């Protein structure tokens, strides 16, 4: 089937799209940048200029009563607009502003990363190497080790949390999985959080639960939906991103030792977030009649703003399909833009930076292992799934011990 035919019957869950969406996006940007999708009953916006403008346009809103996230989580920061949205964001700023993130790097991120890397180092054995599924052991392990500490929950509960967080991600995917299954998982998470709140002890460190539910006040149960949303937001997007960064490093032959350089490591992270963003689409609604590129969009229409397509727009990025750390075009949409820019952007970037810095100090090298699909000679790609949370299922790698005796441990 040609790319043009695929565009006509656009299906985010099709094997063709999941394998390689980029030619489809390119065709849309060229021939139909404001594409009406009958399947989704929504306008798909693919040009960078239009996506950025829509994210800043007050006529384009996040809140809508029948939005799947609203039905799942209730009223939250995700689907609030205007003053109520600014008020909710202000509530969380003490935990996500610069000085707080610097403290969290020491108190939360480093212990979370070291917990995961210590368990892998212990398996190196006499051969000085260990084969792991990077997705399961690291890309999943680190965000869940981080979010339990951020919430003030026992880190050992991470394995229990993920099977209950995944249905929440599925319910807001394209196409969505069962809302009933997600609601049942959310109920389990709320029961768990209620017990955690009842059992919490005084701490010197401000946690996300403390912000939402100050210890000196009765628990506001209306905010429990927001707490479950933060469990999702703090984990599954990071799972996808960490997997994509390692994929980019391996696919382009970057030595693990090169990531010890702070500037280069941060360039690698930012370029990967442009080249392979973890979330490809953001859902918005037209609060009034609007026109984009001559296409009239009626009030209450759904808009799918394609961060994935906008991140490879040839009118903004030179050679956009190439992965080029340090490229001069620094615009990044992986964390959205405008009033709804991800609240945890600085913490997320610090999480990725901490992980790959400490991996570069802990291990002597990393190489891929097992059979992976070839995309062209000398290159390979991952099998991926998801659209809102686009991630590889598996990434088998071999990690090697450093050559300098015992290497760098968790006391760095």
């Amino acid at each position: 089937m040609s790319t043009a035919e695929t565009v006509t019957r656009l299906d985010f869950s099709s094997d063709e799209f999941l394998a390689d969406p980029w030619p489809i996006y390119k065709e849309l940007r060229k021939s139909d940048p404001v594409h009406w999708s009958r399947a989704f009953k929504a306008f798909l916006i693919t040009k960078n200029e239009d996506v950025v403008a829509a994210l800043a346009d007050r006529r384009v809103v996040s809140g809508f009563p029948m939005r799947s996230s609203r039905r799942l989580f209730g009223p939250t920061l995700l689907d609030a607009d205007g003053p109520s949205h600014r008020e909710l964001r202000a509530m969380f700023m003490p935990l996500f502003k610069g000085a707080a993130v610097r403290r969290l790097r020491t108190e939360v991120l480093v212990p979370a990363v070291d917990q995961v890397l210590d368990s892998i180092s212990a398996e190196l054995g006499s051969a000085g190497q260990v084969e792991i599924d990077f997705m399961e052991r690291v890309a999943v392990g680190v965000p869940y080790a981080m979010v339990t500490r951020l919430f003030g929950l026992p880190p050992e509960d991470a394995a229990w949390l993920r099977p209950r967080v995944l249905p929440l991600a599925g319910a807001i995917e394209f196409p969505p999985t069962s809302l009933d299954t997600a609601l049942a998982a959310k109920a389990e998470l709320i029961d768990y959080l209620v017990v955690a709140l009842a059992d919490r002890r005084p701490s010197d460190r401000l946690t996300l639960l403390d912000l939402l539910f100050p210890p000196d006040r009765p628990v506001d149960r209306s905010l429990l939906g927001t707490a479950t949303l933060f469990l999702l937001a703090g984990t599954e997007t990071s799972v996808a991103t960490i997997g994509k960064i390692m994929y980019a490093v391996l696919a382009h032959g970057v030595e693990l030792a090169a990531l010890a350089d702070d500037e280069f490591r941060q360039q690698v992270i930012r370029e990967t977030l442009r080249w392979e963003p973890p979330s490809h689409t953001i859902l918005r609604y037209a609060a009034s009649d609007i026109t984009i590129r001559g296409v009239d969009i009626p009030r209450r229409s759904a808009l799918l703003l394609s961060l994935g397509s906008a991140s490879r727009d040839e009118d903004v990025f030179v050679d956009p399909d190439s992965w080029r750390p340090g490229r001069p075009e620094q615009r990044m949409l992986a964390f959205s833009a405008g009033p709804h820019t991800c609240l945890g952007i600085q913490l997320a970037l610090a999480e990725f930076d901490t992980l790959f810095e400490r991996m570069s100090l802990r291990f002597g090298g990393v190489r891929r292992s097992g059979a992976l699909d070839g995309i062209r000679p000398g290159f390979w790609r991952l099998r991926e799934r998801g659209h809102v949370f686009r991630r590889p299922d598996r990434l088998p790698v071999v990690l090697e011990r450093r050559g300098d005796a015992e290497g760098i441990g968790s006391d760095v």
Side-chain angles (χ1 to χ4, degrees), residues 122-368:
E123 298 173 17
L124 284 169
S126 58
Q129 62 182 36
V130 59
E131 182 173 354
I132 62 168
D133 175 6
F134 185 84
M135 292 306 300
E136 186 61 34
R137 293 293 298 276
V138 181
V140 170
V142 168
Y144 279 85
M146 183 277 291
V147 85
T148 50
R149 288 171 168 83
L150 185 66
F151 270 71
L153 303 171
E156 59 270 21
D157 288 357
W160 182 89
L161 285 170
R162 194 176 193 226
R164 289 149 184 89
V165 171
L166 280 176
L168 308 185
I172 58 176
E173 262 291 3
F174 289 111
T177 56
S178 167
L179 179 61
D180 289 340
T181 300
L183 288 169
K186 177 196 167 190
E188 285 191 77
L189 288 169
I190 284 178
D191 288 345
Y192 167 82
L193 291 172
V194 167
V195 172
L197 286 166
D199 292 345
R200 68 177 158 177
R201 298 290 181 265
S203 171
D204 294 334
R205 182 172 62 80
L206 181 68
T207 71
L208 189 55
L209 286 183
D210 292 332
L211 275 179
L212 282 167
F213 311 101
D216 57 347
R217 301 180 198 169
V219 172
D220 183 351
R221 295 187 67 89
S222 69
L223 291 174
L224 287 167
T226 295
T228 60
L229 171 63
F230 270 90
L231 281 173
L232 171 60
T235 51
E236 290 305 311
T237 304
S238 290
V239 170
T241 302
I242 290 168
K244 298 294 186 70
I245 295 169
M246 179 52 70
Y247 163 55
V249 164
L250 292 169
H252 296 90
V254 175
E255 294 291 334
L256 194 57
L259 298 180
D261 180 86
D262 292 348
E263 182 178 0
F264 179 66
R265 184 176 64 251
Q266 289 159 21
Q267 290 174 349
V268 163
I269 291 168
R270 295 184 71 86
E271 173 66 349
T272 304
L273 284 163
R274 181 205 66 84
W275 185 66
E276 281 279 358
S279 295
H280 275 215
T281 298
I282 288 180
L283 178 62
R284 293 289 186 266
Y285 298 91
S288 61
D289 295 347
I290 60 175
T291 300
I292 301 178
R293 291 189 184 268
V295 177
D296 294 329
I297 298 176
R299 175 178 175 268
R300 298 175 69 86
S301 295
L303 305 177
L304 297 174
L305 306 181
S306 180
L307 305 183
S309 175
S311 294
R312 294 207 190 182
D313 190 336
E314 44 282 302
D315 288 343
V316 176
F317 302 99
V318 175
D319 192 14
D321 293 328
S322 295
W323 185 78
R324 293 169 48 189
R327 65 166 60 239
E329 314 98 321
Q330 289 296 310
R331 181 178 292 177
M332 183 177 65
L333 285 174
F335 295 96
S336 188
H340 279 269
T341 299
C342 175
L343 186 64
I345 180 173
Q346 296 304 323
L347 182 60
L349 290 172
E351 177 186 11
F352 310 144
D353 186 67
T354 302
L355 168 60
F356 286 94
E357 177 192 35
R358 296 183 80 76
M359 280 190 64
S360 72
L361 298 173
R362 179 73 68 95
F363 300 103
V366 60
R367 66 180 189 273
R368 65 186 177 94

